[in-house]
Amino acid sequence: MHQNLRLALATATAAALTGGLLTLTTAPATAADSTRVAQADFNGDGKGDVAFSAQGAYVAGKEAAGQLVVLYGTSSGVSSAKRHSLSQNSTGVPGTAETGDEFGGESAYADFNGDGYDDVAVSAPTEDADGDKDGGTVAILWGSASGITGKGITVKDPARSSHDMWGDELAAGDFDGDGKADLAVGSSGATIHVFKGGFTTSGTSGGRYTITPPIMSGEGTGALNLTAGDIDGGATDLVVDGFETDSAYGWNRNFFIPGSTSGLDASAARTLKPGVITAIGDIDKDGYGDIVSGAYWNSTLEDGTPIPDSAKGGKVWVTYGSDSGPLTSDATGITQNTGNVPGTAEGNDFFGYELDLGDITGDGFLDLAIGVAGENIGSATNTGSVTVLYGTANGLDTSSGAQSFSQDTAGVPGSNEDDDALGLDLKLDDVNGDGKADLVAASAENAGNGALLYLPSNGTKITTAGARTVSPSTSGVSTTGTPLFGGNFAD
């Protein structure tokens, strides 16, 4: 869920109804692994890289002009020592930094031009464009042996007058199975534009088509999240999160849109369990991507109205894939009261606020990191934590081996403070090149300045040995205002 990074953990509850629509408090990023660990490598060195937003950052005195930060993997993991921090004032980046553009607000990676380096599609979803207030813009910045240096193109909005917030959601995948990376672009409208692979440095693509899943359209609606991954063993599929059009309340709901040789087929859309944040990957190593979604709100509205498929403090849904698509009748729900999952389900814990899949142990089974951004620990309110569950042939293990990390965990830098919201965003990627996924977790540290916590894998689990914090002040991002450094990872 992105929707302008609604970071309001300190002042709002996890969910409330306004005009019948579920209004969610923050905008974490989505994880988009396929049946393997699909991590970004922008400089082609074989180590995973991490790109993320600082969309509230001041640039040249312009509030919330926004930046995109790229941390490059090294043998010792990620730090601010090897990185690029880019804005619309950076040489080669399309556009100009302006107040309220929120550049970096959404991003997605793939090798869009087929040169062997991953590129990053990045949006400024609230930029005024072509006379349209909050019309939004999207660019693709090219990868190279030097990484993401700022050279790029604009992905033009073909329907400017029909929506706002062009690029509010992005997802990359080979939706037609032709071996080229496609780009799906969402907005405030229900229609999603899909640009076919074959992007060139002159700004053209291999074609374009649209799909319209059964979600609401208009301000604050449209696609809340787009997640790409192979669920049925064919072309890349797309999971679209939005508000239902066929219920009285307009509840949050996910929809499976299958890929095919002719691209995404919205006429074959299937309803899934809810959850704004979604990750797709092969947890049980059967060759099919599984869908994990975070319905992180409470089980009832303030007036006592029950919210479907929800639980007190949040719920994570797991729907396993097959050659016929998602096995929706066998979806499994996980809460902090499930088995030996760390913690206890409490109101506004935001369990499932963010999710990502990766292979921490190298055994071929994907493991799951879960953000619990609203967790209270001791006297610290909304300090947040991260839960790690490990994958097996039988799915996620909730009976043993689970881990939980907060800033009071021995070896983790910092301390638990009000509104840190650790777990605001997550990545499980191999950023030190040892073949095992490491954990990078974002928080709203220091009143929304933001920070990243790096915790490496030791081959059998996530460990605090070698843990470090990456801050905006050491990464070329101003701490004036509320930069929200790390608020939204590229996927």
Side-chain angles (χ1 to χ4, degrees), residues 341-352:
V341 173
T344 300
E346 301 165 312
N348 300 329
D349 276 349
F350 297 178
F351 181 76

Side-chain angles (χ1 to χ4, degrees), residues 243-325:
F243 296 118
E244 295 176 336
T245 58
D246 60 354
S247 68
Y249 278 94
W251 300 116
N252 170 270
R253 187 64 60 178
N254 281 327
F255 298 92
F256 165 72
I257 312 293
S260 70
T261 55
S262 57
L264 294 169
D265 182 6
S267 68
R270 292 162 61 180
T271 303
L272 303 169
K273 293 295 186 180
V276 172
I277 290 303
T278 300
I280 301 173
D282 189 3
I283 297 168
D284 54 4
K285 203 165 63 171
D286 66 354
Y288 302 102
D290 308 310
I291 304 167
V292 186
S293 296
Y296 63 83
W297 42 86
N298 293 324
S299 57
T300 63
L301 304 178
E302 291 183 359
D303 65 2
T305 301
I307 302 174
D309 298 318
S310 303
K312 183 179 182 180
K315 191 170 192 174
V316 171
W317 285 102
V318 184
T319 303
Y320 291 94
S322 73
D323 58 1
S324 60

Side-chain angles (χ1 to χ4, degrees), residues 406-465:
S406 74
Q407 289 187 95
D408 274 356
T409 300
V412 173
S415 60
N416 290 338
E417 300 168 314
D418 289 351
D419 305 321
D420 276 353
L422 180 65
L424 176 69
D425 206 348
L426 300 170
K427 289 297 285 183
L428 276 179
D429 283 346
D430 175 19
V431 295
N432 61 14
D434 67 355
K436 315 295 192 301
D438 311 300
L439 174 64
V440 183
S443 71
E445 189 82 18
N446 297 327
N449 280 352
L452 299 188
L453 171 65
Y454 165 66
L455 298 175
S457 166
N458 66 3
T460 59
K461 62 181 180 180
I462 294 297
T463 179
T464 60

Side-chain angles (χ1 to χ4, degrees), residues 334-392:
I334 300 172
T335 73
Q336 286 184 295
N337 287 343
T338 300
N340 289 317
V341 173
T344 300
E346 301 165 312
N348 300 329
D349 276 349
F350 297 178
F351 181 76
Y353 192 74
E354 180 56 56
L355 305 166
D356 202 23
L357 289 163
D359 188 357
I360 295 167
T361 64
D363 63 0
F365 300 102
L366 292 191
D367 312 305
L368 177 68
I370 303 170
V372 196
E375 186 80 72
N376 298 340
I377 301 176
S379 62
T381 302
N382 296 329
T383 191
S385 65
V386 178
T387 296
V388 178
L389 303 179
Y390 287 85
T392 72

Side-chain angles (χ1 to χ4, degrees), residues 101-242:
D101 282 353
E102 298 186 342
F103 177 74
E106 170 68 346
S107 52
Y109 58 79
D111 182 4
F112 291 111
N113 61 0
D115 66 354
Y117 299 99
D118 279 329
D119 315 302
V120 62
V122 56
S123 72
T126 51
E127 181 171 8
D128 296 345
D130 301 327
D132 181 12
K133 180 177 173 54
D134 294 336
T137 60
V138 175
I140 295 177
L141 306 181
W142 305 119
S144 69
S146 301
I148 303 292
T149 59
K151 296 179 180 179
I153 61 169
T154 296
V155 180
K156 294 183 178 179
D157 185 348
R160 177 68 69 192
S161 63
S162 64
H163 53 241
D164 288 324
M165 301 185 71
W166 175 244
D168 192 35
E169 298 302 328
L170 301 170
D174 184 7
F175 303 121
D176 55 11
D178 67 354
K180 300 177 182 178
D182 310 317
L183 177 65
V185 182
S187 66
S188 64
T191 297
I192 297 164
H193 294 256
V194 182
F195 293 82
K196 299 181 67 174
F199 288 91
T200 69
T201 54
S202 63
T204 62
S205 69
R208 182 184 61 84
Y209 62 94
T210 62
I211 59 170
T212 305
I215 59 174
M216 290 186 179
S217 178
E219 183 178 356
T221 62
L224 302 180
N225 221 341
L226 302 175
T227 308
D230 181 9
I231 297 159
D232 58 9
T236 305
D237 310 305
L238 187 69
V239 172
V240 178
D241 175 76

